[in-house]
Amino acid sequence: MSRTLIVLPDDAVTPILAAIHGASRTLRVKMFVFSDPTLLKAVLAAKRRGVKVRVMLNPARRSGEQDNEATREALERAGIDVNDANPAFDLTHEKSMVVDDHTAFVASLNWTTKNMTETRDYAVVTTSGHEVAEIVECFETDWDRGTFTPRERSELVWCPGPGRDRLSRFIDEARHTLFVQNERFQDMLIIERLVRAARRGVKVHVMARPAHALKREKLVEGVGGLRIMDDVGIKVHKLKHLRLHGKMMLADGVAAIVGSINFAAGSLDGRRELAIEVRDDEVVDRLHKVARHDWEHSHPLDLSDEGLLADLEDRVEGGAEMLGIDATRSRPRD
């Protein structure tokens, strides 16, 4: 089988560490945030045993916050080649690794301790030669500041580029069930496709983060997207016990897309993102079990005025006003 699935936090960091420990020739890492000390130690050890290691890091968030400076300094002290992500993009949100030009990891998770232990996240591991070669090609192109063109008829889903069309087509092709996990539902075309799926009889299950977890500047878009889906009868839930960070769609129990892409215009149009479409039985079957488990261990999001007030209270200053909710008339439910 050319693809396998890693589920976090269930599988922990073990399979990623095993891949790094097993590298014998080359290691390419492209990461939005890289701060986990165990993974850093493994990458440094790979360099010491003679592996050619290159790491591409997103230099800063939109806020200007820099997450990767300490890791960058440690890598450079060890003589590892480190490069900022391609400045052609607003930021690089892709989370990938290629080992020995043979095995590639396409993930939703950052290399942070939190994403290994506290969040629902995923990675697909592929040994398919053409997929690995395409990820390597993009790495090399971004490293050299060139222009990457995604291959036709690839299972990889890239942004900027064909990502929105690929995700839309995937939703359009669902006939019976659609499980969707994503942090952000802000892109109107994707929301429209989910609404149309529900209207043609697809049972759409959406799992999202609560309103207070959205960035303040994205609150209106994020809540608006969730409320539109809720208004047409799409079930919108939030996870219990775990923080949702994974980005996954599962259609009809036979096909899935996993990767770094949030359903937001910025992600689709301005950021380097990567996901992969899979139909491997073992991968899809496990995703279906995880999706069912997560749905059974979730709560409906209360998207009424009262529910949003309760969620935002003392968490997002001015949130009610931003959403046009009259706090004097709407009172949280007991």
Side-chain angles (χ1 to χ4, degrees):
M1 184 174 58
S2 61
R3 301 186 191 91
T4 55
L5 179 70
I6 299 171
V7 179
L8 279 301
D10 307 42
D11 299 337
V13 71
T14 306
I16 301 172
L17 280 177
I20 299 171
H21 292 325
S24 61
R25 295 179 289 105
T26 60
L27 187 66
R28 294 176 180 86
V29 177
K30 190 191 292 186
M31 197 58 52
F32 180 57
V33 182
F34 181 1
S35 61
D36 180 75
T38 303
L39 287 169
L40 176 59
K41 182 178 178 181
V43 170
L44 296 175
K47 168 65 176 178
R48 288 195 297 271
R49 65 174 183 270
V51 177
K52 181 181 179 181
V53 180
R54 284 187 292 165
V55 178
M56 196 182 310
L57 297 172
N58 185 68
R61 295 177 183 264
R62 287 181 298 113
S63 64
E65 181 182 356
Q66 296 179 333
D67 302 288
N68 296 317
E69 281 307 298
T71 295
R72 184 190 188 100
E73 292 173 5
L75 294 169
E76 289 178 338
R77 284 196 302 269
I80 291 173
D81 290 334
V82 187
N83 204 359
D84 283 343
N86 192 336
F89 311 115
D90 295 339
L91 54 81
T92 287
H93 196 239
E94 177 184 343
K95 304 99 163 45
S96 67
M97 175 175 71
V98 181
V99 180
D100 292 338
D101 294 326
H102 177 267
T103 305
F105 289 63
V106 178
S108 67
L109 63 130
N110 293 299
W111 280 13
T112 68
T113 304
K114 178 181 289 186
N115 283 164
M116 305 293 171
T117 59
E118 299 177 15
T119 64
R120 170 63 75 223
D121 264 302
Y122 305 96
V124 171
V125 186
T126 177
T127 56
S128 171
H130 65 276
E131 291 168 359
V132 174
E134 187 174 349
I135 295 169
V136 168
E137 180 185 351
C138 183
F139 184 98
E140 298 296 335
T141 303
D142 283 350
W143 186 276
D144 294 333
R145 308 315 196 217
T147 301
F148 169 72
T149 302
R151 301 183 184 184
E152 294 183 5
R153 294 182 294 277
S154 172
E155 299 304 316
L156 298 173
V157 183
W158 296 98
C159 297
R164 183 184 280 105
D165 289 343
R166 288 286 303 278
L167 297 174
S168 297
R169 186 164 67 249
F170 185 89
I171 296 168
D172 291 346
E173 291 173 353
R175 292 293 173 263
H176 306 292
T177 60
L178 192 60
F179 284 92
V180 185
Q181 294 184 345
N182 206 286
E183 284 185 283
R184 296 164 60 189
F185 291 82
Q186 296 164 4
D187 185 77
M188 293 312 299
L189 187 63
I190 299 297
I191 292 167
E192 176 196 10
R193 288 305 206 280
L194 291 170
V195 167
R196 289 186 177 190
R199 285 182 169 171
R200 68 174 180 268
V202 178
K203 293 182 179 179
V204 181
H205 300 76
V206 164
M207 191 162 287
R209 297 181 67 192
H212 75 265
L214 296 171
K215 293 180 180 179
R216 191 175 188 277
E217 65 271 20
K218 297 297 182 181
L219 183 64
V220 173
E221 294 173 82
V223 170
L226 295 177
R227 286 184 123 178
I228 288 169
M229 292 187 289
D230 183 62
D231 284 346
V232 299
I234 293 175
K235 296 179 179 179
V236 182
H237 281 211
K238 62 179 179 179
L239 259 176
K240 297 180 192 176
H241 312 307
L242 284 176
R243 175 177 174 266
L244 178 64
H245 184 259
K247 301 94 172 66
M248 183 273 286
M249 289 197 295
L250 175 66
D252 299 331
V254 297
I257 291 180
V258 172
S260 68
I261 306 171
N262 285 310
F263 296 155
S267 297
L268 295 162
D269 298 326
R271 300 182 177 189
R272 170 64 80 212
E273 305 271 12
L274 174 61
I276 185 170
E277 183 172 345
V278 293
R279 295 177 183 269
D280 307 62
D281 289 343
E282 290 189 22
V283 172
V284 171
D285 288 349
R286 188 173 184 204
L287 280 171
H288 191 257
K289 290 178 182 176
V290 173
R292 284 288 184 189
H293 173 274
D294 286 353
W295 193 257
E296 291 167 3
H297 294 80
S298 66
H299 289 299
L301 271 177
D302 186 350
L303 295 166
S304 66
D305 286 358
E306 294 83 358
L308 288 168
L309 278 175
D311 183 54
L312 295 171
E313 188 176 13
D314 300 326
R315 289 167 164 167
V316 180
E317 185 178 356
E321 291 79 4
M322 292 174 66
L323 297 174
I325 298 173
D326 185 350
T328 64
R329 296 179 60 188
S330 300
R331 298 297 180 192
R333 296 169 181 169
D334 292 335

